[in-house]
Amino acid sequence: MSAAQDGVGARAARRRFATLGRSVALFRAFLVEQTDPDHFYGLLADDSVRQVSGYTPLAGRTVLDVGGGPGYFASAFRAAGARYVGLDPDVGDFSAAGDSVAGMLRGSGTALPVRTASVDVAFSSNVLEHVSEPTRMLDEMVRVTRPGGLLFVSYTPWLSPWGGHETAPWHWLGGDRARRRYERRTGRPPKNRYRETLFPISISHTLRWTRGNDAVEVLDAVPRYHPWWGRWVIRVPGLREVVAWNFLLVLRRTSAPPPGGAEKTELTGGRVAM
């Protein structure tokens, strides 16, 4: 089979995966994300592994999950044969999903404690909107990915109906106003606090970053949870910010990494050989 035929077959397989039924199941699970996180994140983990597998085989590959949170993705990636390493600012968060902290790293997404060009897949799900310097995190994910490796990054755009997270849709009237409203109604601050742990990010901003980065090529830029026939919305500036729900960017690392780079092996304070 030629490379072109193989590419057509892979795209067809991804279309068969991105069905309306899948979108409905994910949306229903999302509605109980706050009350039943095990259900939502367990479903999302399985869905994510299947989605990543549509772009690259996972068996024997090293996957770095930037912002792995409570570790819901660990078992799903490992079941696919990947060597999974989760990274989060607080390793203790991994215990929320009953996962061991063994093989997990504590560190910042904007300064990854990982050796340059050492992972096959740099993965991040719904983290970028929680980072004050999102392009710096993207740069770091590019740095640690081997040439030919895959970057899989998704996030909720600020203008999405869910961009304000638990304060949505009132964030459309302003992040600070939405936060104050939430506090008045619940008597407590939201977990995702505007410009503290939740930052406005746009699809256009991320696409501009890709156009200015010669070290990556875009394999896909799609609404992550939409059926395949809804992909067109990403081509429409403005509209995509509102209707994409969640934006997925799939990149391939193209250029060789710069020489050098630390190779310390401490859990924190240095870069870990993967």
Side-chain angles (χ1 to χ4, degrees), residues 28-38 40-41 165 191:
R28 287 176 174 170
F30 175 76
L31 294 178
V32 298
E33 184 250 348
Q34 295 289 321
T35 57
D36 190 3
D38 288 347
F40 173 69
Y41 288 106
H165 289 44
K191 176 183 177 182

Side-chain angles (χ1 to χ4, degrees), residues 56 60 121 144 147 162 223:
T56 185
V121 178
V144 303
W162 298 274

Side-chain angles (χ1 to χ4, degrees), residues 33-42 67-75 84 88 90-102 104 191:
E33 184 250 348
Q34 295 289 321
T35 57
D36 190 3
D38 288 347
H39 173 64
F40 173 69
Y41 288 106
Y72 289 99
F73 293 92
S75 59
Y84 173 91
D88 200 86
D90 184 359
V91 175
D93 283 350
F94 289 109
S95 62
D99 211 283
S100 168
V101 296
M104 305 300 183
K191 176 183 177 182

Side-chain angles (χ1 to χ4, degrees), residues 160-233:
S160 159
W162 298 274
H165 289 44
E166 66 266 48
T167 67
W170 302 100
H171 69 293
W172 280 335
L173 301 179
D176 291 323
R177 178 180 295 182
R179 176 178 175 173
R180 291 193 298 269
R181 181 183 183 278
Y182 183 91
E183 291 177 351
R184 287 196 304 270
R185 290 178 61 85
T186 66
R188 63 180 187 278
K191 176 183 177 182
N192 299 286
R193 300 179 301 280
Y194 181 64
R195 293 200 180 277
E196 292 182 22
T197 59
L198 180 65
F199 300 87
I201 183 172
S202 70
I203 295 173
S204 295
H205 179 72
T206 308
L207 291 177
R208 283 195 298 272
W209 171 85
T210 64
R211 289 193 290 270
N213 194 319
D214 295 333
V216 296
E217 64 173 325
V218 178
L219 300 183
D220 248 335
V222 298
R224 181 182 182 185
Y225 305 138
H226 284 32
W228 67 266
W229 40 263
R231 295 164 57 104
W232 63 271
V233 301

Side-chain angles (χ1 to χ4, degrees), residues 227-258:
W228 67 266
W229 40 263
R231 295 164 57 104
W232 63 271
V233 301
I234 298 300
R235 298 196 296 269
V236 185
L239 178 68
R240 63 191 176 202
E241 306 292 345
V242 179
V243 305
W245 179 5
N246 192 277
F247 178 56
L248 169 62
L249 188 62
V250 185
L251 308 171
R252 179 181 289 120
R253 175 67 189 268
T254 57
S255 67

